[in-house]
Amino acid sequence: MAKPITKIDEPILTEKEKQDQSLKEVLQDLSQNADGIKETMQLLQELHESGILGAINNLVEAKEQVAKIAVGQMLRPPVTNAINNAMAAGGLLTEMNPETTKKLMGGLSKGLQKAEEGLQANKKVSVFDLVKLMRDPDVNRVIKFSIDLLKGLGEGLKD
């Protein structure tokens, strides 16, 4: 009886045969994707002609220096202050009731419109006008809100 085959010898390719096989695969890929490759080459040519490709190449070559500059800029006190302030503002917004924020933004918008109208009218306000305004429920609501806001700010500023 014949012995079973347990080992299959795979053909060993020479370096030239490996190169020929790789070249054949690349040519096949090129022929299957000709349109995309042509468009890519056109894009690269346009980037080259406009100088963008050269700038990108220089940027990549100088990546270490660019990274140092970027990190140096990020560590400047104004930038770190801005980041810290943004984080604090984000924290404040997460604590606020969205309905209150919506009302406040709506009121601010209306208030700015009224203020613009007042500037356009260029009318002087007398002491009697101020006394009458104290009876206006909208003005009274804002005065009470402002007093409460000032009280809360003062409490928050305690050490």
Side-chain angles (χ1 to χ4, degrees), residues 12-105:
I12 300 173
L13 300 177
T14 66
E15 196 62 37
K16 172 79 170 129
E17 291 171 330
K18 288 180 186 177
Q19 287 177 351
D20 290 343
Q21 186 177 8
S22 294
L23 183 59
K24 183 179 175 183
E25 290 172 2
V26 168
L27 288 173
Q28 186 177 3
D29 287 345
L30 283 172
S31 67
Q32 290 175 351
N33 301 301
D35 292 339
I37 291 170
K38 287 177 184 176
E39 287 182 22
T40 302
M41 289 172 54
Q42 182 180 359
L43 174 65
L44 284 173
Q45 184 60 35
E46 289 177 16
L47 289 172
H48 172 71
E49 289 171 2
S50 67
I52 295 173
L53 189 59
I56 291 172
N57 282 334
N58 291 337
L59 185 63
V60 170
E61 289 173 6
K63 63 185 173 264
E64 192 171 309
Q65 290 88 353
V66 171
K68 285 180 184 177
I69 291 169
V71 169
Q73 291 299 313
M74 291 297 291
L75 295 177
R76 289 181 35 237
V79 176
T80 56
N81 287 346
I83 292 170
N84 290 335
N85 288 337
M87 290 175 62
L92 172 67
L93 289 175
T94 61
E95 293 177 15
M96 290 181 63
N97 180 349
E99 284 301 315
T100 303
T101 305
K102 185 177 177 180
K103 283 182 185 178
L104 192 57
M105 291 298 111

